[in-house]
Amino acid sequence: MQNFFWRWFYRLPSPFTAADLRAGYAYDLAVRQFEVADTRVFDRPQSGRAFFEGLIRDHLDIGRPQQVVLLFKRERLPRKVGSFSTKVLTKGVDPQVSCSYKSSRIKQYLKEGRALRNETVICNTRDFGIGRRVTTDNWRALRAVGDSANQRLCDAQAQDAAPAPDVVTLGQVTRPTKTSDGLHAPALCFGDPRVMALLAALVGFSHVLVGFQNRQLVSLVATLLDQPYGHRQATYDLRRLRRKGLIFRVPSSQRYQLTPVGSAVAVLSECFLRVCGSENSSRIARMIVDSRFGAPVSRWLD
């Protein structure tokens, strides 16, 4: 890219005089927008659209994309009256899933009816602690951010179809335990409103770019819990999640990411509420953590 720029630079008019150039004034390249795309082609294209529409439907509560867009392939004329709406997704309507972080975003859609397209668009490199200048190091760092975000989004969506955690793992999460360092890890009891709201807040697609912070967790959990939830409670819950191995702290930052086990447990909690309903969740949760129901629960999870 730099070779291309400088080759044309000497052929185009420049406002710099010879004195300006001798004084050290010159152009430099900077990143205005950086896009990393990932395309995954389906073996059976006819199933691609059904898969993507099912993905949107299943993840309205698991993942909670910030925006789901329907694009209609027709032009709205000034003389046209009435509203544009649809009840069934048909040919000519392209659904999209969009998640954003500051000035950057991830967009996912079905490309030409046969491929799942993920696009991470970075509009401000400083959102990720990367410089604007076009250098080899900055280019590789931006590419790594985009590739990682695209992969984590697909992993988060695929987690819904992954096997549920085994009974031993579930028991370690729902009962008090000790870490390898001997630290106490309080229980995360299924059916407890605060725990269920906490786990539901962790599976948001908006976390896949750079993770989440304490203040973001406070906002999400308070909305889902519908009662006061402060920073001290979030700090305590983050400590519980870390000691249970459900999240890890991103190095040199105050942000956290879900571990594979944490993602599986969080998705299971959402499926648990979806199937059982909030009115029965507490009663059934007590059955899950009761050792007397170990064998039936094992068969149920399988």
Side-chain angles (χ1 to χ4, degrees):
M1 180 181 293
Q2 290 180 338
N3 292 337
F4 175 83
F5 172 78
W6 289 113
R7 184 171 65 249
W8 283 98
F9 172 78
Y10 293 106
R11 300 185 182 183
L12 298 175
S14 174
F16 293 120
T17 63
D20 293 334
L21 295 176
R22 286 194 298 269
Y25 294 99
Y27 287 106
D28 200 356
L29 295 180
V31 177
R32 176 66 176 176
Q33 179 174 297
F34 194 91
E35 178 177 325
V36 180
D38 176 71
T39 305
R40 308 186 182 208
V41 181
F42 292 97
D43 293 334
R44 293 183 296 172
Q46 64 273 19
S47 303
R49 185 176 181 83
F51 165 81
F52 189 65
E53 292 173 3
L55 184 147
I56 293 177
R57 180 179 61 252
D58 293 340
H59 287 82
L60 287 178
D61 57 344
I62 300 178
R64 292 183 176 83
Q66 294 176 327
Q67 187 179 20
V68 177
V69 181
L70 299 180
L71 299 181
F72 296 84
K73 292 184 178 179
R74 55 179 173 173
E75 182 180 358
R76 184 167 183 174
L77 302 177
R79 298 187 301 274
K80 187 69 176 180
V81 296
S83 60
F84 286 77
S85 61
T86 184
K87 293 183 179 179
V88 180
L89 297 180
T90 58
K91 185 177 180 180
V93 181
D94 295 330
Q96 295 182 359
V97 175
S98 178
C99 303
S100 62
Y101 168 71
K102 294 186 178 180
S103 57
S104 303
R105 67 183 184 276
I106 299 180
K107 182 175 67 174
Q108 186 181 65
Y109 60 95
L110 193 66
K111 185 176 180 64
E112 298 181 359
R114 60 184 302 122
L116 186 65
R117 177 82 168 183
N118 302 296
E119 297 177 358
T120 296
V121 181
I122 301 173
C123 299
N124 186 359
T125 62
R126 301 193 186 280
D127 290 344
F128 304 92
I130 303 173
R132 286 184 176 274
R133 294 185 60 198
V134 178
T135 64
T136 302
D137 292 339
N138 290 343
W139 188 275
R140 290 176 178 173
L142 290 171
R143 180 63 185 268
V145 169
D147 288 338
S148 178
N150 289 337
Q151 184 61 47
R152 286 202 300 269
L153 176 61
C154 292
D155 290 343
Q157 293 170 339
Q159 191 63 52
D160 191 19
D166 58 84
V167 176
V168 175
T169 301
L170 195 59
Q172 292 175 347
V173 172
T174 56
R175 295 185 176 187
T177 57
K178 295 284 187 179
T179 66
S180 58
D181 299 332
L183 299 176
H184 177 65
L188 294 167
C189 299
F190 270 42
D192 180 81
R194 175 170 161 180
V195 172
M196 303 307 286
L198 177 65
L199 294 176
L202 297 179
V203 292
F205 290 159
S206 58
H207 304 330
V208 300
L209 270 172
V210 291
F212 59 93
Q213 292 178 311
N214 183 300
R215 58 185 177 84
Q216 294 170 322
L217 188 65
V218 169
S219 176
L220 291 172
V221 175
T223 302
L224 296 171
L225 196 56
D226 197 23
Q227 67 183 46
Y229 183 83
H231 290 278
R232 290 186 178 181
Q233 293 170 300
T235 301
Y236 173 75
D237 287 338
L238 287 172
R239 187 184 303 117
R240 284 200 292 177
L241 293 169
R242 287 187 66 184
R243 293 183 180 180
K244 290 294 185 182
L246 304 186
I247 62 173
F248 68 93
R249 185 173 175 178
V250 179
S252 303
S253 73
Q254 297 293 330
R255 294 187 171 274
Y256 300 87
Q257 287 278 10
L258 275 175
T259 64
V261 175
S263 181
V265 171
V267 170
L268 177 62
S269 69
E270 285 290 281
C271 296
F272 175 78
L273 288 178
R274 181 189 294 177
V275 174
C276 301
S278 58
E279 65 277 3
N280 298 322
S281 61
S282 298
R283 178 176 58 84
I284 300 177
R286 287 194 295 270
M287 294 172 57
I288 292 179
V289 299
D290 194 335
S291 60
R292 294 175 299 173
F293 293 86
V297 170
S298 178
R299 290 195 297 270
W300 177 68
L301 289 177
D302 291 339

